[in-house]
mmCIF file of all heavy atoms in Angstrom:
data_model
loop_
_atom_site.group_PDB
_atom_site.id
_atom_site.type_symbol
_atom_site.label_atom_id
_atom_site.label_comp_id
_atom_site.label_asym_id
_atom_site.label_seq_id
_atom_site.Cartn_x
_atom_site.Cartn_y
_atom_site.Cartn_z
ATOM 1 N N ASP S 1 19.460 22.522 29.450
ATOM 2 C CA ASP S 1 19.498 22.328 30.901
ATOM 3 C C ASP S 1 19.034 23.583 31.648
ATOM 4 O O ASP S 1 18.294 23.489 32.634
ATOM 5 C CB ASP S 1 20.907 21.937 31.350
ATOM 6 C CG ASP S 1 21.316 20.557 30.852
ATOM 7 O OD1 ASP S 1 20.434 19.775 30.433
ATOM 8 O OD2 ASP S 1 22.532 20.263 30.866
ATOM 9 N N ALA S 2 19.459 24.755 31.175
ATOM 10 C CA ALA S 2 19.060 26.006 31.823
ATOM 11 C C ALA S 2 17.554 26.224 31.696
ATOM 12 O O ALA S 2 16.895 26.663 32.642
ATOM 13 C CB ALA S 2 19.828 27.179 31.217
ATOM 14 N N LEU S 3 16.989 25.897 30.537
ATOM 15 C CA LEU S 3 15.538 26.040 30.352
ATOM 16 C C LEU S 3 14.771 25.040 31.213
ATOM 17 O O LEU S 3 13.713 25.365 31.758
ATOM 18 C CB LEU S 3 15.169 25.876 28.879
ATOM 19 C CG LEU S 3 15.570 27.036 27.965
ATOM 20 C CD1 LEU S 3 15.392 26.646 26.505
ATOM 21 C CD2 LEU S 3 14.774 28.291 28.297
ATOM 22 N N ALA S 4 15.287 23.839 31.355
ATOM 23 C CA ALA S 4 14.641 22.840 32.206
ATOM 24 C C ALA S 4 14.587 23.316 33.655
ATOM 25 O O ALA S 4 13.609 23.060 34.355
ATOM 26 C CB ALA S 4 15.364 21.504 32.098
ATOM 27 N N GLU S 5 15.618 24.026 34.091
ATOM 28 C CA GLU S 5 15.657 24.537 35.467
ATOM 29 C C GLU S 5 14.556 25.554 35.747
ATOM 30 O O GLU S 5 14.124 25.689 36.884
ATOM 31 C CB GLU S 5 17.020 25.159 35.770
ATOM 32 C CG GLU S 5 18.119 24.138 35.971
ATOM 33 C CD GLU S 5 19.458 24.789 36.272
ATOM 34 O OE1 GLU S 5 19.479 25.969 36.705
ATOM 35 O OE2 GLU S 5 20.477 24.114 36.077
ATOM 36 N N ILE S 6 14.100 26.261 34.704
ATOM 37 C CA ILE S 6 13.026 27.244 34.923
ATOM 38 C C ILE S 6 11.661 26.675 34.535
ATOM 39 O O ILE S 6 10.678 27.398 34.489
ATOM 40 C CB ILE S 6 13.302 28.573 34.187
ATOM 41 C CG1 ILE S 6 13.324 28.390 32.669
ATOM 42 C CG2 ILE S 6 14.567 29.224 34.695
ATOM 43 C CD1 ILE S 6 13.254 29.693 31.891
ATOM 44 N N GLY S 7 11.607 25.373 34.212
ATOM 45 C CA GLY S 7 10.328 24.715 33.979
ATOM 46 C C GLY S 7 9.919 24.544 32.531
ATOM 47 O O GLY S 7 8.790 24.135 32.258
ATOM 48 N N ILE S 8 10.800 24.836 31.596
ATOM 49 C CA ILE S 8 10.494 24.626 30.180
ATOM 50 C C ILE S 8 10.888 23.201 29.824
ATOM 51 O O ILE S 8 12.069 22.867 29.810
ATOM 52 C CB ILE S 8 11.239 25.630 29.273
ATOM 53 C CG1 ILE S 8 10.931 27.068 29.678
ATOM 54 C CG2 ILE S 8 10.912 25.373 27.802
ATOM 55 C CD1 ILE S 8 9.474 27.445 29.584
ATOM 56 N N THR S 9 9.898 22.365 29.563
ATOM 57 C CA THR S 9 10.192 20.950 29.322
ATOM 58 C C THR S 9 9.950 20.522 27.890
ATOM 59 O O THR S 9 10.415 19.474 27.477
ATOM 60 C CB THR S 9 9.327 20.071 30.243
ATOM 61 O OG1 THR S 9 7.949 20.398 30.026
ATOM 62 C CG2 THR S 9 9.681 20.310 31.693
ATOM 63 N N GLY S 10 9.225 21.310 27.114
ATOM 64 C CA GLY S 10 8.933 20.928 25.748
ATOM 65 C C GLY S 10 9.535 21.905 24.761
ATOM 66 O O GLY S 10 9.431 23.116 24.932
ATOM 67 N N MET S 11 10.185 21.379 23.751
ATOM 68 C CA MET S 11 10.748 22.215 22.698
ATOM 69 C C MET S 11 11.016 21.364 21.475
ATOM 70 O O MET S 11 11.071 20.142 21.556
ATOM 71 C CB MET S 11 12.033 22.901 23.159
ATOM 72 C CG MET S 11 13.193 21.956 23.423
ATOM 73 S SD MET S 11 14.625 22.762 24.126
ATOM 74 C CE MET S 11 14.049 23.143 25.761
ATOM 75 N N THR S 12 11.172 22.017 20.348
ATOM 76 C CA THR S 12 11.559 21.356 19.111
ATOM 77 C C THR S 12 12.939 21.858 18.750
ATOM 78 O O THR S 12 13.196 23.067 18.806
ATOM 79 C CB THR S 12 10.569 21.698 17.977
ATOM 80 O OG1 THR S 12 9.270 21.276 18.369
ATOM 81 C CG2 THR S 12 10.956 21.002 16.687
ATOM 82 N N VAL S 13 13.823 20.936 18.399
ATOM 83 C CA VAL S 13 15.198 21.295 18.064
ATOM 84 C C VAL S 13 15.502 20.805 16.654
ATOM 85 O O VAL S 13 15.218 19.655 16.323
ATOM 86 C CB VAL S 13 16.195 20.676 19.073
ATOM 87 C CG1 VAL S 13 17.627 20.969 18.681
ATOM 88 C CG2 VAL S 13 15.906 21.182 20.477
ATOM 89 N N SER S 14 16.067 21.686 15.835
ATOM 90 C CA SER S 14 16.418 21.344 14.458
ATOM 91 C C SER S 14 17.863 21.728 14.191
ATOM 92 O O SER S 14 18.347 22.743 14.696
ATOM 93 C CB SER S 14 15.544 22.116 13.465
ATOM 94 O OG SER S 14 14.184 21.941 13.735
ATOM 95 N N GLU S 15 18.531 20.922 13.373
ATOM 96 C CA GLU S 15 19.860 21.292 12.896
ATOM 97 C C GLU S 15 19.652 22.114 11.636
ATOM 98 O O GLU S 15 19.014 21.659 10.689
ATOM 99 C CB GLU S 15 20.686 20.049 12.595
ATOM 100 C CG GLU S 15 21.038 19.259 13.832
ATOM 101 C CD GLU S 15 21.873 18.024 13.527
ATOM 102 O OE1 GLU S 15 22.328 17.861 12.373
ATOM 103 O OE2 GLU S 15 22.073 17.234 14.448
ATOM 104 N N VAL S 16 20.175 23.329 11.635
ATOM 105 C CA VAL S 16 20.008 24.234 10.500
ATOM 106 C C VAL S 16 21.370 24.790 10.100
ATOM 107 O O VAL S 16 22.373 24.565 10.779
ATOM 108 C CB VAL S 16 19.028 25.388 10.840
ATOM 109 C CG1 VAL S 16 17.634 24.852 11.113
ATOM 110 C CG2 VAL S 16 19.522 26.200 12.019
ATOM 111 N N LYS S 17 21.394 25.499 8.995
ATOM 112 C CA LYS S 17 22.609 26.177 8.561
ATOM 113 C C LYS S 17 22.257 27.612 8.249
ATOM 114 O O LYS S 17 21.151 27.907 7.804
ATOM 115 C CB LYS S 17 23.192 25.511 7.310
ATOM 116 C CG LYS S 17 23.725 24.136 7.590
ATOM 117 C CD LYS S 17 24.375 23.560 6.368
ATOM 118 C CE LYS S 17 24.895 22.175 6.730
ATOM 119 N NZ LYS S 17 25.840 21.688 5.772
ATOM 120 N N GLY S 18 23.196 28.507 8.482
ATOM 121 C CA GLY S 18 22.933 29.899 8.192
ATOM 122 C C GLY S 18 24.183 30.737 8.340
ATOM 123 O O GLY S 18 25.245 30.237 8.716
ATOM 124 N N TYR S 19 24.026 32.008 8.022
ATOM 125 C CA TYR S 19 25.105 32.945 8.249
ATOM 126 C C TYR S 19 24.544 34.342 8.407
ATOM 127 O O TYR S 19 23.436 34.639 7.975
ATOM 128 C CB TYR S 19 26.152 32.906 7.136
ATOM 129 C CG TYR S 19 25.745 33.570 5.848
ATOM 130 C CD1 TYR S 19 26.081 34.897 5.597
ATOM 131 C CD2 TYR S 19 25.027 32.890 4.890
ATOM 132 C CE1 TYR S 19 25.721 35.516 4.417
ATOM 133 C CE2 TYR S 19 24.653 33.491 3.709
ATOM 134 C CZ TYR S 19 25.003 34.805 3.476
ATOM 135 O OH TYR S 19 24.629 35.409 2.310
ATOM 136 N N GLY S 20 25.310 35.162 9.063
ATOM 137 C CA GLY S 20 24.960 36.559 9.254
ATOM 138 C C GLY S 20 26.249 37.339 9.176
ATOM 139 O O GLY S 20 27.000 37.217 8.211
ATOM 140 N N ARG S 21 26.552 38.053 10.224
ATOM 141 C CA ARG S 21 27.807 38.805 10.254
ATOM 142 C C ARG S 21 29.016 37.892 10.302
ATOM 143 O O ARG S 21 30.112 38.288 9.956
ATOM 144 C CB ARG S 21 27.832 39.730 11.460
ATOM 145 C CG ARG S 21 26.855 40.857 11.335
ATOM 146 C CD ARG S 21 27.001 41.820 12.466
ATOM 147 N NE ARG S 21 25.991 42.864 12.335
ATOM 148 C CZ ARG S 21 25.608 43.611 13.332
ATOM 149 N NH1 ARG S 21 26.121 43.444 14.523
ATOM 150 N NH2 ARG S 21 24.708 44.533 13.147
ATOM 151 N N GLN S 22 28.814 36.663 10.733
ATOM 152 C CA GLN S 22 29.914 35.708 10.844
ATOM 153 C C GLN S 22 30.491 35.371 9.473
ATOM 154 O O GLN S 22 31.660 35.098 9.334
ATOM 155 C CB GLN S 22 29.408 34.443 11.541
ATOM 156 C CG GLN S 22 30.483 33.587 12.141
ATOM 157 C CD GLN S 22 29.884 32.454 12.964
ATOM 158 O OE1 GLN S 22 28.680 32.262 13.020
ATOM 159 N NE2 GLN S 22 30.736 31.708 13.598
ATOM 160 N N LYS S 23 29.671 35.372 8.442
ATOM 161 C CA LYS S 23 30.040 35.249 7.034
ATOM 162 C C LYS S 23 30.676 33.936 6.605
ATOM 163 O O LYS S 23 31.028 33.783 5.472
ATOM 164 C CB LYS S 23 30.998 36.382 6.619
ATOM 165 C CG LYS S 23 30.463 37.753 6.798
ATOM 166 C CD LYS S 23 29.634 38.171 5.625
ATOM 167 C CE LYS S 23 29.428 39.654 5.642
ATOM 168 N NZ LYS S 23 28.159 40.124 5.842
ATOM 169 N N GLY S 24 30.861 32.977 7.456
ATOM 170 C CA GLY S 24 31.468 31.719 7.039
ATOM 171 C C GLY S 24 32.980 31.786 7.118
ATOM 172 O O GLY S 24 33.561 32.685 7.707
ATOM 173 N N HIS S 25 33.628 30.798 6.496
ATOM 174 C CA HIS S 25 35.083 30.731 6.536
ATOM 175 C C HIS S 25 35.596 29.924 5.348
ATOM 176 O O HIS S 25 34.836 29.258 4.661
ATOM 177 C CB HIS S 25 35.546 30.107 7.855
ATOM 178 C CG HIS S 25 35.060 28.707 8.061
ATOM 179 N ND1 HIS S 25 33.800 28.428 8.548
ATOM 180 C CD2 HIS S 25 35.645 27.514 7.816
ATOM 181 C CE1 HIS S 25 33.641 27.110 8.608
ATOM 182 N NE2 HIS S 25 34.736 26.540 8.167
ATOM 183 N N SER S 26 36.909 29.961 5.127
ATOM 184 C CA SER S 26 37.529 29.196 4.044
ATOM 185 C C SER S 26 38.067 27.885 4.586
ATOM 186 O O SER S 26 38.560 27.826 5.715
ATOM 187 C CB SER S 26 38.678 29.983 3.420
ATOM 188 O OG SER S 26 38.193 31.152 2.818
ATOM 189 N N GLU S 27 37.980 26.826 3.785
ATOM 190 C CA GLU S 27 38.537 25.527 4.147
ATOM 191 C C GLU S 27 39.342 24.997 2.979
ATOM 192 O O GLU S 27 39.133 25.383 1.834
ATOM 193 C CB GLU S 27 37.427 24.540 4.518
ATOM 194 C CG GLU S 27 36.770 24.832 5.839
ATOM 195 C CD GLU S 27 35.839 23.732 6.302
ATOM 196 O OE1 GLU S 27 35.774 22.673 5.646
ATOM 197 O OE2 GLU S 27 35.172 23.930 7.319
ATOM 198 N N LEU S 28 40.241 24.094 3.291
ATOM 199 C CA LEU S 28 41.072 23.462 2.279
ATOM 200 C C LEU S 28 40.660 22.007 2.158
ATOM 201 O O LEU S 28 40.591 21.293 3.150
ATOM 202 C CB LEU S 28 42.548 23.559 2.711
ATOM 203 C CG LEU S 28 43.604 23.408 1.639
ATOM 204 C CD1 LEU S 28 43.438 24.464 0.564
ATOM 205 C CD2 LEU S 28 44.976 23.517 2.256
ATOM 206 N N TYR S 29 40.338 21.552 0.941
ATOM 207 C CA TYR S 29 39.941 20.169 0.712
ATOM 208 C C TYR S 29 40.657 19.659 -0.527
ATOM 209 O O TYR S 29 40.492 20.205 -1.619
ATOM 210 C CB TYR S 29 38.421 20.067 0.536
ATOM 211 C CG TYR S 29 37.931 18.673 0.281
ATOM 212 C CD1 TYR S 29 37.945 17.718 1.292
ATOM 213 C CD2 TYR S 29 37.479 18.299 -0.971
ATOM 214 C CE1 TYR S 29 37.509 16.436 1.062
ATOM 215 C CE2 TYR S 29 37.039 17.007 -1.220
ATOM 216 C CZ TYR S 29 37.057 16.082 -0.191
ATOM 217 O OH TYR S 29 36.621 14.798 -0.426
ATOM 218 N N ARG S 30 41.485 18.637 -0.344
ATOM 219 C CA ARG S 30 42.267 18.046 -1.436
ATOM 220 C C ARG S 30 43.031 19.100 -2.229
ATOM 221 O O ARG S 30 43.040 19.112 -3.455
ATOM 222 C CB ARG S 30 41.381 17.222 -2.358
ATOM 223 C CG ARG S 30 40.809 16.005 -1.668
ATOM 224 C CD ARG S 30 40.143 15.090 -2.641
ATOM 225 N NE ARG S 30 39.678 13.898 -1.930
ATOM 226 C CZ ARG S 30 39.065 12.909 -2.507
ATOM 227 N NH1 ARG S 30 38.832 12.923 -3.801
ATOM 228 N NH2 ARG S 30 38.673 11.878 -1.807
#
């Protein structure tokens, strides 16, 4: 929405996965 306000109407959006300093987290499953 913020980009549309300044006139940017075209973009490509992808769902990706990654990590950096955030390093992920632990989860409990079964």
Side-chain angles (χ1 to χ4, degrees):
D1 292 344
L3 288 169
E5 286 180 20
I6 64 166
I8 304 299
T9 56
M11 66 186 70
T12 301
V13 176
S14 306
E15 292 180 9
V16 296
K17 292 184 180 196
Y19 75 94
R21 291 186 183 160
Q22 200 173 4
K23 301 276 196 246
H25 61 278
S26 296
E27 288 189 6
L28 200 59
Y29 179 71
R30 294 190 177 180

